Amino acid sequence: MPSFIERFRAHRRRVVATALATVVAASGLTLGTTAVPSAAHVDDSSLSWTPCPGVPEPSLGLECTTVTVPLDYAKPAGEKIEIAVSRLPSTNPARRRGVLLLNIGGQGDSQAALPLALVSLGLPASVRETYDLIEFDPRGIGRSTPLTCNLRPDQAATLIPPPYARTAADVNQRAADARQIAEQCAQSGTAHLLPYITNTNVARDMDRIRQALGEQRISYLGYSHGTYLGTLYAALFPKRTDRMVFDSVSGLGGLDAVGARRWGLGFELRFPDFARWAASQDATYGLGATPAQVRTRWLQIVDNLDQAPVAGISGAALRAMTYGMLFNDSIFPALASALQALAAGQAPQLPPPPAGGDFSGMLALVCNSPGWSRDIDTYQRHVAVDRLRYPLFGPAAASVWPCAFWPAKPEPRVDISKAGSSTILLVNNLRDPATPYVGAVELHRTLGARSRLVTADQGGHLSYLFGNNTCAKNLETTFLVDGKRPSRDTFCPSA
């Protein structure tokens, strides 16, 4: 049986899958990694769509194919790789406007069934009529040509985010572990792919998908790190964009060193939502009658587990689990039940983890971004500072990633401030633990009049279809369907 740490480290794959778990279970969809049949292999001149493997209901209409792209865009005639693409056709071809590319953000496995999952979450019929829904697995990930670092289970379990560092010695130990992961990436059988698994190349792949689909322009709905991919596309291909929605904005650099460190801030802003909810349920869970008492109780449980782990569960593991379970209000009862059990010295009853997934490709996208320090003393200082500023999770968010030892050079920065699409809608929850609101403000300030910002007064990661703010949902739907952005930045009160 997998250990608690293996099951509930707050990997992006796991937290996204948790948010979708009820929908997927109800609809019978499979979001796991599955090879694409060779019959779907195509070149840029035509596409041959086949039923998606791993999706048990072909009648739902999801189709799959691959698009061939250069590994190195500086050598377009050189080695080629495959980008896996899925499509859910428009429900009304007569009213179809074009295609809506989708990206859920950080992922470790294929999200081919994402269009169906969004429909099950309540994607409006008007959006279904307006677009073919197009999912793509970024290069190196899922059903696209994969990258692997041959991660052991214990390495995968502590990859994203790093373990909470209580002391300077913990940071040094994490540095040693991160170095080993980076070395494995450099020595794997797919190491020659490493320099080319970059965010800018993913944006270029998106334009190859557009060409292969025969579209003059694309619309885009990107979540989390996917907002950065969309930002790059809008800067590099401004004449090829239609309506661009960036939901849960990861800031100017996506999941880079700045974005990762902000998770400490995000946890601190989001935890009070859980504490208020748990206080209202004190008769059931016994975690405290006020938010302050719940916070104190949580810290006591963490400290107790650091002194005497329960069923192998340490305080660091509980911090990581809590972070992942703050992503959606619907997960609060499971978190409260786990805390109740741990407080009693019992192993919590937890749902099984999603199957499959390899974050090697996502790690390459992150570590090929510019800005990662290679000086371990820098991480020691950041951890020490964030231990005081964001004590709940800062020493995890600020600790050492394998990027500190990454074998490839970082990709050049793309200047997004001077040119690009002017049809961009930014949407962010005020209390998002993974993409704190400051990132949306930062990007909006950089884009200026080219963007509008919708602020949703709610917590959790991912807004459109994942949250309960009707105002924000309606504004996103109106923009996607009618192309009408708010005339000014808009604040959407809590529901």
Side-chain angles (χ1 to χ4, degrees):
M1 180 177 181
S3 72
F4 174 87
I5 296 176
E6 291 171 342
R7 295 166 66 188
F8 272 96
R9 295 300 297 190
H11 287 188
R12 288 285 298 118
R13 173 179 63 87
R14 295 171 191 260
V15 293
V16 170
T18 299
L20 290 171
T22 302
V23 172
V24 173
S27 61
L29 305 181
T30 298
L31 297 179
T33 304
T34 310
V36 177
S38 59
H41 175 85
V42 296
D43 59 27
D44 288 345
S45 62
S46 64
L47 291 177
S48 175
W49 297 93
T50 64
C52 290
V55 178
E57 295 292 338
S59 61
L60 295 175
L62 192 70
E63 306 169 312
C64 281
T65 190
T66 59
V67 174
T68 304
V69 302
L71 173 63
D72 181 359
Y73 276 92
K75 300 177 181 178
E79 182 178 351
K80 301 296 192 298
I81 59 173
E82 303 299 320
I83 304 300
V85 178
S86 66
R87 176 178 69 179
L88 188 63
S90 165
T91 55
N92 188 347
R95 296 189 60 182
R96 176 186 177 276
R97 177 181 178 84
V99 298
L100 179 65
L101 262 67
L102 307 169
N103 186 271
I104 195 64
Q107 63 186 83
D109 53 11
S110 176
Q111 297 294 318
L114 178 61
L116 294 175
L118 295 183
V119 170
S120 296
L121 283 168
L123 185 70
S126 56
V127 178
R128 290 290 325 278
E129 290 183 344
T130 305
Y131 300 103
D132 291 347
L133 304 180
I134 306 294
E135 184 276 342
F136 68 98
D137 291 343
R139 56 172 56 203
I141 298 173
R143 297 179 304 115
S144 295
T145 299
L147 175 78
T148 181
C149 294
N150 298 319
L151 297 172
R152 303 190 308 267
D154 63 303
Q155 293 173 322
T158 57
L159 187 63
I160 303 174
Y164 188 94
R166 292 172 59 90
T167 66
D170 289 344
V171 178
N172 288 334
Q173 180 59 56
R174 175 58 185 170
D177 295 341
R179 181 191 294 274
Q180 182 176 358
I181 292 173
E183 290 175 351
Q184 287 175 205
C185 295
Q187 296 167 5
S188 78
T190 59
H192 74 286
L193 301 175
L194 274 178
Y196 309 104
I197 308 299
T198 69
N199 295 294
T200 303
N201 277 341
V202 173
R204 296 183 178 115
D205 294 341
M206 290 166 59
D207 201 56
R208 287 300 181 102
I209 294 171
R210 176 195 63 77
Q211 295 175 44
L213 294 172
E215 298 289 333
Q216 292 298 311
R217 295 175 180 270
I218 60 169
S219 293
Y220 181 73
L221 172 57
Y223 293 95
S224 195
H225 184 75
T227 64
Y228 181 54
L229 301 177
T231 300
L232 293 175
Y233 187 86
L236 295 172
F237 305 99
K239 296 182 180 180
R240 299 302 184 185
T241 63
D242 192 1
R243 300 162 184 174
M244 311 292 283
V245 177
F246 303 161
D247 186 299
S248 306
V249 181
S250 57
L252 296 181
L255 183 51
D256 60 359
V258 173
R261 190 178 176 190
R262 281 179 177 163
W263 290 349
L265 167 64
F267 193 117
E268 209 75 38
L269 294 174
R270 173 60 167 159
F271 188 83
D273 288 344
F274 169 73
R276 283 190 292 270
W277 178 88
S280 73
Q281 304 293 317
D282 185 46
T284 300
Y285 300 105
L287 297 175
T290 68
Q293 290 176 359
V294 172
R295 180 184 174 108
T296 298
R297 186 60 173 145
W298 184 84
L299 287 169
Q300 289 173 345
I301 296 170
V302 168
D303 288 341
N304 290 341
L305 292 175
D306 278 329
Q307 298 300 318
V310 173
I313 304 169
S314 68
L318 177 56
R319 290 179 192 268
M321 182 198 77
T322 301
Y323 174 70
M325 298 181 84
L326 293 176
F327 274 46
N328 194 281
D329 290 2
S330 66
I331 317 174
F332 284 177
L335 174 57
S337 293
L339 293 173
Q340 183 182 45
L342 291 168
Q346 301 171 357
Q349 296 296 315
L350 298 167
D358 183 345
F359 262 79
S360 300
M362 189 66 207
L363 182 64
L365 289 180
V366 171
C367 292
N368 280 329
S369 298
W372 289 96
S373 175
R374 292 180 176 267
D375 176 22
I376 302 307
D377 288 341
T378 297
Y379 294 96
Q380 290 281 14
R381 290 193 298 272
H382 288 174
V383 167
V385 169
D386 288 3
R387 184 177 291 115
L388 298 176
R389 292 197 302 179
Y390 313 124
L392 299 182
F393 203 60
S399 197
V400 186
W401 287 54
C403 310
F405 309 99
W406 201 242
K409 294 181 179 179
E411 64 177 329
R413 292 186 184 275
V414 174
D415 187 352
I416 63 174
S417 64
K418 295 181 179 179
S421 170
S422 60
T423 56
I424 297 172
L425 184 67
L426 311 177
V427 184
N428 219 93
N429 294 338
L430 268 179
R431 300 176 302 283
D432 188 319
T435 54
Y437 181 67
V438 63
V441 174
E442 177 183 73
L443 181 59
H444 183 41
R445 184 183 299 119
T446 300
L447 297 177
R450 291 158 49 200
S451 63
R452 297 286 187 276
L453 174 59
V454 174
T455 303
D457 185 7
Q458 64 182 1
H461 187 44
L462 312 182
S463 178
Y464 192 56
L465 307 179
F466 292 85
N468 60 4
N469 192 295
T470 302
C471 165
K473 177 181 177 180
N474 289 344
L475 289 172
E476 290 185 74
T477 297
T478 297
F479 178 56
L480 287 172
V481 174
D482 299 325
K484 297 178 180 178
R485 287 190 312 181
S487 59
R488 58 179 64 88
D489 297 340
T490 302
F491 179 84
C492 286
S494 58

